[in-house]
Amino acid sequence: MSDNTTSLKAAYHTLGCKLNFSETSTIGRILASRGIVRAGETERPDIIVVNTCSVTEMADKKGRQLVRRLAREWPDATIVVTGCYAQLKPEQAASLPGVAIVLGSNEKLRISQYIDRWLETRTQQVVTTPPLEIREFMPSCERGDRTRYFLKVQDGCDYFCTYCTIPYARGRSRSGRIADITDIARQVADEGGREIVITGVNIGDFGRDTGESLLDLLRSLDSVEGIERYRISSIEPNLLTEEILRWIASEARAFMPHFHIPLQAGSDAVLRLMNRRYDTALFRSRIELIRRLIPDAFIGVDVIAGARGETEEEWRRGLEFIESLPVTRLHVFPYSERPGTSALRIGHIVSQEEKHRRVSELMRVSAEKHAAFVSGQTGREAHVLWESPSHGGRMMHGFTENYIRVEAPLEPELINTVTGVTLSAQNISAEQ
């Protein structure tokens, strides 16, 4: 990067998934290594990086609104738009006010060369790679303001679910190398990090392109001294194997009893329409195996409400299935039409009003399940990794092994340490 960048300041804005936050952090380190420092909250940024999401139409809208607001607030700044919205709709992104650079998924971590080019030519750049040609894996790791680090181990997806644009936004499935990822975990430990969340688009697909395996990765990470906790951010039920679960339950040193497993629909007919790789019987078997092996595990489940083809009959069948599962919490999303997806060819469109009603029903089920889970943990001895203060600095919070949020009066010396706690109605946080 040219010498005239050394006095520049950059601001970073991230929308969407943990993977995006991890990559934004890496972008920040790349630019910092070239002399572009992070702007303070009240400082004028010379460069603004917006890392976007495009999982729903609302995500697209939020990205556009954010860029427009930033352009009004900082009219002289160079705005760089990257992420999934930039990959899928680069022309739209380029037409937004103040946007100088649009970088697709394959270009985002090469941001410094495009900023150099902009500074030299002041010519707008719009650069993307066709999704099927995105093959390179770019590692990233992010800490943010918490004690947890988010470590990217895999990117892209080969599943092509009918409702999803992610394979087009992030390209084909590809993985890092176990040795390289483990080295990053060691660096986190050297920095004083205690907890790592393993992130990716389709983590269970790890190693399919490199000849390595997810279980071997988990074993390697588990051996890193200094890291006390690992969590797996999200994993497909058909790829969460019995071998992995038994290893976590009986052999793993630092992997927490915390799982996030996408279901998306509780009806086999709707799962087939979605082109998911499992049925409800397989899903139930995974959940019940977790409960047998790790009875106190937190199990979060993604569900889409009102997908195309989800008739009232299939919705009712799916709701009954979800209610019968011994899970902890639902992460509920109303179905969003995405241009270019094959789901648009499916009949039976669910109205917006009906989607919202179904979301409300699922949120009720989620609240009931979570309350029952937390109630069953009261009185148990747990270990909490304390995070930065909340509520104006008077209180600190942290999470148990199985992801129950706990609050206590601030003791600064305990931040980023693990202490024993007896769970009670008084210290379990209402914010979950």
Side-chain angles (χ1 to χ4, degrees):
M1 186 169 279
S2 55
D3 292 339
N4 61 351
T5 64
T6 55
S7 61
L8 298 179
K9 292 182 171 63
Y12 302 90
H13 298 268
T14 308
L15 300 170
C17 63
K18 299 291 193 300
L19 196 56
N20 267 8
F21 281 87
S22 175
E23 290 170 344
T24 299
S25 181
T26 298
I27 289 170
R29 286 198 297 273
I30 289 169
L31 295 189
S33 72
R34 302 299 185 91
I36 300 177
V37 300
R38 184 181 293 268
E41 286 188 16
T42 59
E43 291 184 302
R44 179 182 63 83
D46 302 289
I47 298 165
I48 300 174
V49 179
V50 182
N51 195 0
T52 60
C53 175
S54 191
V55 71
T56 64
E57 178 57 38
M58 181 57 69
D60 286 356
K61 183 178 179 180
K62 286 181 178 178
R64 291 191 294 268
Q65 289 175 336
L66 175 60
V67 171
R68 291 189 181 105
R69 178 177 66 77
L70 292 169
R72 288 194 304 270
E73 189 174 353
W74 307 107
D76 296 327
T78 296
I79 298 179
V80 182
V81 179
T82 187
C84 292
Y85 176 64
Q87 174 71 34
L88 290 170
K89 300 177 181 177
E91 293 80 13
Q92 274 190 25
S95 70
L96 295 170
V99 173
I101 303 170
V102 177
L103 301 178
S105 297
N106 211 42
E107 289 73 31
K108 66 168 65 173
L109 297 187
R110 299 192 185 94
I111 187 172
S112 57
Q113 71 185 63
Y114 297 105
I115 291 176
D116 255 355
R117 194 176 301 166
W118 161 257
L119 293 173
E120 293 168 4
T121 67
R122 297 290 168 170
T123 301
Q124 187 184 55
Q125 299 164 75
V126 182
V127 190
T128 63
T129 299
L132 296 183
E133 296 176 20
I134 300 175
R135 300 275 182 181
E136 183 180 352
F137 177 81
M138 300 178 185
S140 62
C141 187
E142 183 259 352
R143 177 178 185 175
D145 297 327
R146 297 182 172 184
T147 54
R148 294 193 294 279
Y149 285 70
F150 297 92
L151 174 59
K152 172 181 164 184
V153 304
Q154 183 273 342
D155 203 347
C157 187
D158 293 340
Y159 272 23
F160 292 92
C161 298
T162 57
Y163 56 86
C164 185
T165 58
I166 294 301
Y168 308 101
R170 285 191 168 269
R172 305 306 293 264
S173 180
R174 54 206 186 276
S175 311
R177 292 281 181 178
I178 289 176
D180 297 333
I181 294 168
T182 305
D183 281 343
I184 295 174
R186 291 193 187 99
Q187 292 169 25
V188 169
D190 290 343
E191 291 177 14
R194 293 292 173 262
E195 180 172 322
I196 291 177
V197 180
I198 299 169
T199 66
V201 175
N202 188 356
I203 291 171
D205 212 32
F206 176 87
R208 194 176 299 273
D209 57 329
T210 63
E212 297 180 316
S213 76
L214 177 60
L215 181 54
D216 285 342
L217 170 67
L218 303 185
R219 284 176 168 146
S220 181
L221 291 173
D222 201 51
S223 70
V224 176
E225 293 185 11
I227 302 299
E228 297 181 40
R229 295 183 167 192
Y230 290 98
R231 300 184 193 272
I232 302 172
S233 63
S234 179
I235 184 168
E236 295 286 303
N238 52 304
L239 299 176
L240 181 58
T241 65
E242 182 173 337
E243 186 180 19
I244 290 173
L245 288 172
R246 290 191 181 280
W247 177 80
I248 291 173
S250 61
E251 298 180 44
R253 173 189 63 86
F255 275 81
M256 297 295 97
H258 178 192
F259 300 91
H260 189 131
I261 309 171
L263 170 62
Q264 311 305 20
S267 153
D268 285 331
V270 177
L271 288 174
R272 287 192 294 271
L273 289 173
M274 290 178 164
N275 195 33
R276 301 295 285 165
R277 305 289 182 98
Y278 53 86
D279 58 15
T280 55
L282 184 145
F283 194 91
R284 182 184 295 281
S285 72
R286 290 294 186 271
I287 301 300
E288 291 180 347
L289 180 60
I290 293 171
R291 280 284 169 248
R292 286 199 303 274
L293 296 175
I294 317 171
D296 291 325
F298 182 107
I299 307 174
V301 173
D302 290 340
V303 184
I304 296 172
R308 282 205 179 209
E310 189 180 70
T311 63
E312 180 66 23
E313 180 184 0
E314 296 304 332
W315 152 248
R316 284 294 157 198
R317 182 176 288 117
L319 182 62
E320 289 175 8
F321 175 76
I322 292 166
E323 288 177 320
S324 73
L325 292 172
V327 300
T328 309
R329 179 194 280 164
L330 307 179
H331 301 263
V332 184
F333 308 89
Y335 170 72
S336 178
E337 301 276 300
R338 307 307 292 135
T341 57
S342 57
L344 300 182
R345 297 195 293 268
I346 298 171
H348 188 81
I349 299 173
V350 180
S351 70
Q352 288 298 116
E353 294 77 13
E354 178 61 18
K355 285 181 196 175
H356 292 316
R357 188 185 69 78
R358 294 179 187 183
V359 166
S360 296
E361 277 276 281
L362 289 167
M363 294 302 293
R364 173 191 60 78
V365 172
S366 179
E368 291 172 357
K369 287 184 176 296
H370 190 259
F373 177 76
V374 170
S375 175
Q377 297 294 303
T378 301
R380 187 176 71 84
E381 290 294 317
H383 294 87
V384 175
L385 174 60
W386 297 105
E387 298 188 5
S388 54
S390 57
H391 300 306
R394 296 180 296 104
M395 303 290 288
M396 62 184 181
H397 73 272
F399 289 88
T400 65
E401 301 94 324
N402 58 348
Y403 210 62
I404 294 174
R405 180 178 165 123
V406 175
E407 286 191 343
L410 175 62
E411 297 182 55
E413 67 277 10
L414 295 185
I415 301 301
N416 201 36
T417 68
V418 177
T419 66
V421 173
T422 301
L423 297 178
S424 69
Q426 287 70 44
N427 61 25
I428 293 176
S429 172
E431 296 179 47
Q432 295 289 330

